[in-house]
Amino acid sequence: MTIPLASRTTLDLVADVLIIGGGLAGTWAAVAAAREGARVILVDKGYCGTSGVTATAGPGHWWVPPLPGAREAAIDKRLATAHGLADARWMARIIDTTWTSLPTLAGYYDFPQNEQGVTQYRGLRGPEYLRGMRRLVLDSGVTILDHSPALELLRNERGEVAGARGWRRQAGGDWQIRAGAVVLASGGCAFLSRLLGSHTNTGDGYLMAAEAGAELSGMEFSSYYCIAAAGSSMTRSMVYSFGEYFDAADRPLNISTGPDFTDALAKALLNGPVFCRLHRVPPHIRAQLPVIQPNLMLPFDRRGVDPWRDRFAVTLHPEGTIRGVGGLRVIDDDCQTTVPGVFAAGDAASRELIAGATSGGGAQNSAWALSSGQYAGRGAARRALGNPERNVALQGFGGAGLQSRLSCTATRPNELIQRIQAQVHPLEKNLFRSGSGIGRSLQALDSVWDEVREGLSVDQDNPLRAREIAAMAATARWCYSAAEQRKESRGMHQRSDTPEQNPQFDAHLRIAGVDQPWIRHDPLPSSLNPSPQGNAQ
C-alpha cells in the first residue's frame, strides 16, 4: 500500500519563470529573466544570499580584458588542459559575459581599488557578493521564497513541464508554482561531504530533470577532492600551495604543488596521517587573507593553532560535481536542457563546454555560474512570454523518495546516506578508480536504489531528507555508470586498468534514465567540421 505525503495547505502561485536555487547562478538567472519583463519567482532550499558554496567562499572569476591576444591566450591555455572536451566558442562567450556583467554590480558590491585607483573585479568576497545579489534580485521585482526546497517538477496534460512543487520548511505546508519555464540552478552534489557551503547541494535538480527525461553529461568527471585541515570543512586551498608536508614521524613528504598535488597527498593519506605547516606563505598574502578569505583562519583560531608555525593534520574532502564537471546537458546557447522549457545553470549544468575533463576550479566555475545563469534566465523568460498559458492541471513526474510504504521494513535514512558515502567518498574508490572497483560500487549503489524505490522511512511532515537521499543515490549511480563506460584515463577520471587516454573515447558520454540508466557516446566533432554556431555540445 502506498501512502502519499500528508495532505496540508498548499501555497499556489503563478509565474512566467520559476528559478530553483538561490546561489550565484540562480540569482543571476532571476535578474536576467526579470529584465526580459517576466514575472519571476525564486525558491531556495536555504536562505537566498547565504546558501550554496559561493556564499562561503572568496570566488575569483575568469576575468580577461579585451586586449589583443589576451583572451585567445586564456582560451588556448584552458583548451590545453581540457583533453579535447571543451569548446572555444563557449569559453569566449563566458569570458565576455563575465567582463561586461561584474561592473553592473556597482551599488550592490563594494569593489576595491588598487594603489593606482583602478577598480578590481576579479576576486570577490562571497558573503558580500551573495548579499548584494539578493538585494539586486529583490530590486528587480523577483519574489523569493526562502526555506522552500523544490521536490519535483510538474507537467501539464500534454506532458510538458509547467512548474514545480515543494515544501515550505519554516512557513509550513507545501507550495506549487505554475510557470512557463523552469531554471534549475540547484547546485551540484558533494554527497554531504562537509565541503563548506555544500550542505544544500545534494543533486536535487539532476533527479528532478532526469525524471522529466533530461540527459546528463560528463558525470564521470566527479572525482575532485580538496584539501582542508582535518576536522574542518574550510576547503579554501590557495594557501596550501605554500605548505610543507610531513608524516606522523615528522619526516618530510614529497608533495609539491602542481597537477599531481592531490594524487600525491591522497596516496600519503592512504598510508597514514599527513601534517602540514604553512610557514612559507609570504607575509603579504597572510596580511590579505582576512579580506580575501575571511573564514580561513577560524578553525585554527578555535583550536589555538598557529598554521604559520605549528603542524596540523590535513585531509581531503570529496567535492563530487561541485568542483567536478558533470551535470545536466545543455543543448543551445540559452542553456536549455533536452527537456523543452527546462533550463540549467551553474553547477546544475555540465561544464564540459568550458572545463572539458578537468575541474573549472574557482575562476572558470564562477564565470560559468554568472554567465550560464543569465543565458538560462533570458532563455526561460523568452520561452515563457511566448506561451502565456498557466492555469492548467498539473501532476508530478514520479518522485522517487516522495512516498513511503507502510508494508515494508524501511531502512533508516542515515544508514542509506552512509552506504552512498561509503562508495563515493573514499579515495581508494573514487579518486583511484579501477574497472572492478567501479563495478563493485555500482552493485552497492543499485542495492541502495532498490531500497529507495521500495520505500523509505519518511517523516510525512518533512519530505526533504528522503528526496535528498534519492537524489544522492541517483547521482552516484550516474557518476559511476559513466565512469564504467569511459574505459580510459582522461583528465580527473583516472583508471588503473586503463591508464592511457584512448582516442576511441574522444566523445561526450550522455546518460539518462532513473531506474535503468542508459548511456550514449557522442563523438567529438572533427576539427574540419566544428560544432554549428548556436549549438551546445
Side-chain angles (χ1 to χ4, degrees):
M1 177 180 179
T2 300
I3 307 298
L5 289 174
S7 176
R8 26 178 197 250
T9 304
T10 298
L11 176 67
D12 199 340
L13 300 174
V14 176
D16 296 315
V17 175
L18 169 61
I19 313 289
I20 297 177
L24 183 56
T27 50
W28 277 108
V31 171
R35 286 173 176 167
E36 294 293 319
R39 297 170 298 168
V40 182
I41 298 176
L42 183 153
V43 298
D44 196 341
K45 186 189 284 191
Y47 181 86
C48 173
T50 66
S51 64
V53 292
T54 301
T56 59
H61 286 71
W62 206 7
W63 183 255
V64 187
L67 300 175
R71 294 184 174 179
E72 291 81 358
I75 290 170
D76 287 343
K77 181 179 179 181
R78 186 67 212 189
L79 286 172
T81 66
H83 297 271
L85 299 183
D87 186 311
R89 185 181 68 85
W90 269 80
M91 291 182 179
R93 290 186 74 207
I94 299 296
I95 289 173
D96 189 61
T97 301
T98 303
W99 178 263
T100 58
S101 297
L102 283 176
T104 67
L105 291 181
Y108 293 91
Y109 183 89
D110 185 17
F111 290 100
Q113 295 184 337
N114 64 14
E115 295 178 352
Q116 291 74 41
V118 178
T119 302
Q120 302 297 293
Y121 294 104
R122 183 189 304 273
L124 288 83
R125 299 175 296 279
E128 296 169 46
Y129 188 4
L130 267 294
R131 185 164 62 243
M133 288 303 300
R134 180 185 176 93
R135 288 174 48 215
L136 179 56
V137 167
L138 291 172
D139 287 351
S140 300
V142 174
T143 298
I144 296 177
L145 299 183
D146 292 308
H147 305 293
S148 298
L151 297 176
E152 69 174 330
L153 297 178
L154 299 175
R155 57 187 170 185
N156 60 25
E157 23 200 53
R158 295 190 299 273
E160 302 164 335
V161 172
R165 74 177 184 93
W167 174 49
R168 305 179 71 196
R169 186 165 56 191
Q170 290 190 348
D174 299 320
W175 59 261
Q176 174 180 277
I177 297 174
R178 306 166 193 269
V182 176
V183 176
L184 291 169
S186 47
C189 182
F191 306 100
L192 299 178
S193 68
R194 299 191 70 221
L195 169 68
L196 186 64
S198 73
H199 198 71
T200 57
N201 291 182
T202 49
D204 307 356
Y206 301 154
L207 180 56
M208 284 187 279
E211 288 170 338
E215 295 180 3
L216 300 102
S217 188
M219 297 301 285
E220 66 272 32
F221 304 119
S222 54
S223 54
Y224 193 94
Y225 286 73
C226 193
I227 187 172
S232 165
S233 61
M234 184 55 63
T235 50
R236 299 293 165 248
S237 58
M238 181 268 290
V239 295
Y240 289 99
S241 63
F242 298 97
E244 188 174 5
Y245 298 89
F246 309 86
D247 65 13
D250 207 25
R251 292 174 298 212
L253 295 171
N254 185 23
I255 299 175
S256 58
T257 59
D260 297 326
F261 171 79
T262 299
D263 280 8
L265 176 57
K267 290 174 182 176
L269 285 166
L270 289 175
N271 289 323
V274 174
F275 297 85
C276 175
R277 186 164 56 237
L278 297 175
H279 62 284
R280 297 188 295 196
V281 176
H284 72 280
I285 292 182
R286 298 186 196 184
Q288 292 173 355
L289 283 174
V291 175
I292 300 172
Q293 295 180 338
N295 296 328
L296 178 69
M297 297 301 294
L298 290 178
F300 300 114
D301 293 343
R302 289 170 180 163
R303 299 175 189 180
V305 172
D306 180 353
W308 320 128
R309 182 193 64 200
D310 303 333
R311 289 192 324 154
F312 57 93
V314 295
T315 189
L316 285 168
H317 287 305
E319 302 211 21
T321 62
I322 291 177
R323 276 206 278 194
V325 174
L328 293 166
R329 179 191 172 203
V330 298
I331 62 170
D332 61 21
D333 280 3
D334 290 333
C335 289
Q336 185 169 224
T337 70
T338 51
V339 175
V342 179
F343 299 75
D347 292 355
S350 172
R351 279 148 292 161
E352 288 172 291
L353 292 163
I354 65 161
T358 57
S359 172
Q364 282 76 29
N365 283 359
S366 297
W368 170 261
L370 173 155
S371 302
S372 63
Q374 293 182 77
Y375 304 154
R378 281 198 297 267
R382 292 166 183 168
R383 177 183 175 87
L385 293 174
N387 180 21
E389 183 184 38
R390 300 288 180 270
N391 295 319
V392 294
L394 302 179
Q395 61 179 349
F397 277 95
L402 291 178
Q403 295 178 330
S404 64
R405 297 177 185 269
L406 295 182
S407 60
C408 74
T409 304
T411 307
R412 285 179 293 184
N414 285 344
E415 180 184 333
L416 285 174
I417 293 171
Q418 292 167 4
R419 286 165 56 189
I420 296 167
Q421 292 175 331
Q423 303 307 318
V424 295
H425 282 187
L427 296 164
E428 65 273 20
K429 293 182 180 180
N430 192 24
L431 183 61
F432 302 117
R433 293 172 169 174
S434 69
S436 58
I438 292 169
R440 287 191 295 271
S441 290
L442 274 174
Q443 287 182 348
L445 292 167
D446 286 344
S447 177
V448 171
W449 185 254
D450 288 343
E451 293 186 42
V452 168
R453 273 306 198 191
E454 177 63 23
L456 299 176
S457 178
V458 181
D459 179 351
Q460 293 290 299
D461 294 321
N462 179 355
L464 180 59
R465 181 40 52 105
R467 187 60 164 161
E468 289 177 329
I469 292 171
M472 288 189 289
T475 300
R477 293 172 80 223
W478 291 320
C479 289
Y480 277 137
S481 294
E484 182 182 52
Q485 286 293 308
R486 188 172 285 281
K487 294 178 172 63
E488 64 161 355
S489 293
R490 184 185 295 252
M492 73 173 71
H493 169 68
Q494 296 290 310
R495 287 178 49 158
S496 60
D497 56 328
T498 54
E500 303 297 330
Q501 184 169 314
N502 187 336
Q504 292 182 353
F505 289 91
D506 289 346
H508 297 283
L509 300 191
R510 319 300 194 187
I511 188 166
V514 178
D515 290 319
Q516 298 293 329
W518 55 264
I519 293 179
R520 183 182 70 250
H521 291 222
D522 279 356
L524 298 176
S526 166
S527 59
L528 298 177
N529 297 288
S531 57
Q533 292 292 313
N535 293 327
Q537 294 293 317

